[in-house]
Every structure is written in C-alpha cells, then in structure tokens.
Amino acid sequence: LNSAEHEKNQGRKVLNVPNLRFPEFQGEWEKCKLGDLTAKVGSGSTPKGGNAVYTSAGHCFVRSQNVGMGYLILDDVAHINDGIHQKHKATELKEDDVLLNITGASIGRTAIATKEIEGGNVNQHVCIIRANSKVSPKFLCNYIQTRKIQNYIQSLQTGGSREGLNFEQIRSFPISLPNIAEQNKIAQLLDKLNDRDPKHSLLGCYALLKQRKKIAYFLLFLYICKVQFYFAQSFLPNIKMLRTCTHWNYSFASKRTS
C-alpha cells in the first residue's frame, strides 16, 4: 500500500499530496478541473483546398503528426500564406500554448508550442490549451502525459466508434495543482529528463554512461543531485529505464549512507 492508502485504511484524513516531493514545499495540492486553469480551449480547421494550399514558407500549420508525446515533430510541418492565416486568426498560436491531439490513434499526445511555431495555426485534430496565471504551461503539459490523464482520456472513448475528445471533456480533466513555485521546479526537473539532446538530458547521460560502463559514476551523480525519480516516473510512464534508475539510485544511496 502507498502512504495515502495506508492512512485511508487507518481512518486518517488523506492529504492530496504526492508520496515524494521536493522537501522545501508543504501543504496540499488543490483539486481542480483543467477548465479552471485555462484562458482558451479550442481547435482549428483545415483550409479550403487542403494540401494544395500549403506552401514551403509562411505561417506554420500544425497537424496531429507534428505533436509528439512531450515534444514537437516539425520535419514535415506545413505552412500557409498570410491570407489564409488571417481567415483563421482565432486559432493563432502563442508561445507556451499546450497542444493536444484530440482524434485518432495519436489522441492524448501533447507538446508545448515553441517560438518556432508562434504565429502559426492548428487544424481540427489539434486542440490549443492556453494556460491562465494559475498554472505553468510546462507543468500542465507534463501533467497531461501522466497515467492519470492518459487513462482518463481512454475512459472517455469507451463505447465510441471513433476516438475523439470534445472541448467539454478536455475542460473536465482532473488536475491536482501545487503552488506555482513547486510547479516550476517540477517542470524544470522534467525538462531535464525530457530533453532530447543527450548532452543535456539526464536520461541521455545515463545512456552514454551505461554505454561506457560507468554506471557507478552516474549513480553517484544521481545521489548527489537528489533527483527524485519516483516522482518523475509518474510524469514519464513510458520510460521503463526510469524505474531501473530509481531502483539503482535508492539502493546506491542506502548503501552509501549505511
């Protein structure tokens, strides 16, 4: 049993807090809905003419294939001219918008809009979630990647003939929210884990050190930095290597301190 289940069985009040967190933060996380944290939830549409109106330059036109799980895939991003963009001004992208795929096999994939696609547009398969001042966009994007929200998305598809999310369902996502300082610190940690450049990513460092058979140095590095991998695992459920790192990190730490 985890600590929350144990306290529940003991008849104690269960606090809405993670089992592990950065030690400088206290207090419960607020339970809310995604709709309480947003200034905009909406998607775009495909311009008349479809592929025929795409250009090699101009405003980026983001489609579902351009949204990965936690990152953008811009190798084949389409572009539209300014005239078409002006007709779709309501779906103009801003930096730090959270993008969410809402149809098809890639439903649930989410990424942050970067400066590179600011001023662009999205089609009807991609939802723009614009955070308000209560939430860090990067924290929100990572939260949508958790098992909790991914399972919630799948639960909404039960009985449907076609995978899809509407805006009301998106606004209903259940979010547990720490204060903004804790959100930012969590987002910073997850940025390091998510970084796709092995020179900057902790997981990239792991891969390089493993390849060079220098695991002990990496474990010591984790211990010194006090990277809380159990917490990060809940945000990055698809990385099996993280569980191994967690086990090694805490086993190594206990040996060093015993």
Side-chain angles (χ1 to χ4, degrees):
L1 294 177
N2 63 32
S3 60
E5 290 172 329
H6 177 72
E7 289 191 12
K8 184 176 181 180
N9 290 342
Q10 295 296 316
R12 301 171 187 164
K13 180 184 178 182
V14 178
L15 298 178
N16 185 39
V17 295
N19 289 337
L20 283 177
R21 70 195 299 190
F22 293 105
E24 65 267 35
F25 298 108
Q26 304 294 326
E28 286 194 78
W29 288 21
E30 178 187 357
K31 291 183 179 180
C32 54
K33 301 294 186 182
L34 184 142
D36 301 325
L37 308 174
T38 56
K40 177 185 178 68
V41 175
S43 63
S45 61
T46 299
K48 291 182 179 180
N51 293 347
V53 303
Y54 296 155
T55 59
S56 59
H59 298 267
C60 289
F61 189 70
V62 177
R63 298 166 291 171
S64 58
Q65 62 260 46
N66 303 126
V67 180
M69 187 59 91
Y71 57 93
L72 294 172
I73 306 167
L74 301 179
D75 297 342
D76 67 339
V77 68
H79 294 83
I80 54 177
N81 63 39
D82 192 60
I84 294 175
H85 167 73
Q86 293 301 327
K87 293 178 182 178
H88 297 80
K89 192 73 174 177
T91 63
E92 182 174 359
L93 287 166
K94 294 184 179 180
E95 186 176 9
D96 288 334
D97 280 345
V98 178
L99 306 182
L100 174 67
N101 284 357
I102 57 175
T103 64
S106 67
I107 191 171
R109 291 202 320 222
T110 181
I112 289 284
T114 60
K115 192 74 174 176
E116 188 174 358
I117 63 170
E118 185 176 27
N121 300 87
V122 299
N123 69 5
Q124 68 271 27
H125 304 296
V126 180
C127 179
I128 298 172
I129 301 172
R130 187 162 296 153
N132 61 26
S133 60
K134 294 180 182 178
V135 65
S136 156
K138 289 184 178 180
F139 176 87
L140 183 58
C141 182
N142 279 295
Y143 201 97
I144 293 172
Q145 295 173 57
T146 63
R147 287 191 185 94
K148 174 182 176 180
I149 300 302
Q150 291 296 309
N151 288 343
Y152 184 78
I153 289 171
Q154 291 307 313
S155 73
L156 295 173
Q157 310 310 307
T158 304
S161 58
R162 180 187 177 191
E163 292 181 319
L165 288 171
N166 61 45
F167 301 148
E168 182 180 355
Q169 291 171 330
I170 294 167
R171 293 188 184 97
S172 76
F173 287 2
I175 308 292
S176 290
L177 194 71
N179 63 49
I180 197 70
E182 189 169 2
Q183 291 176 42
N184 288 334
K185 187 150 188 179
I186 291 166
Q188 288 171 6
L189 169 61
L190 296 174
D191 276 349
K192 291 178 182 177
L193 290 167
N194 273 323
D195 196 323
R196 296 174 68 76
D197 185 343
K199 295 179 181 178
H200 303 147
S201 167
L202 288 177
L203 292 174
C205 289
Y206 163 81
L208 290 173
L209 288 168
K210 181 181 179 182
Q211 183 180 13
R212 297 172 185 175
K213 302 186 185 302
K214 295 183 178 180
I215 299 299
Y217 293 103
F218 180 71
L219 296 177
L220 180 60
F221 168 71
L222 294 182
Y223 178 57
I224 293 171
C225 293
K226 299 181 180 178
V227 178
Q228 300 186 32
F229 274 105
Y230 276 126
F231 178 80
Q233 180 180 330
S234 68
F235 278 84
L236 300 169
N238 296 322
I239 301 179
K240 294 180 180 178
M241 183 167 58
L242 205 51
R243 299 190 186 96
T244 305
C245 288
T246 302
H247 173 72
W248 286 343
N249 183 28
Y250 281 84
S251 297
F252 183 75
S254 62
K255 290 178 183 178
R256 295 282 297 180
T257 55
S258 60

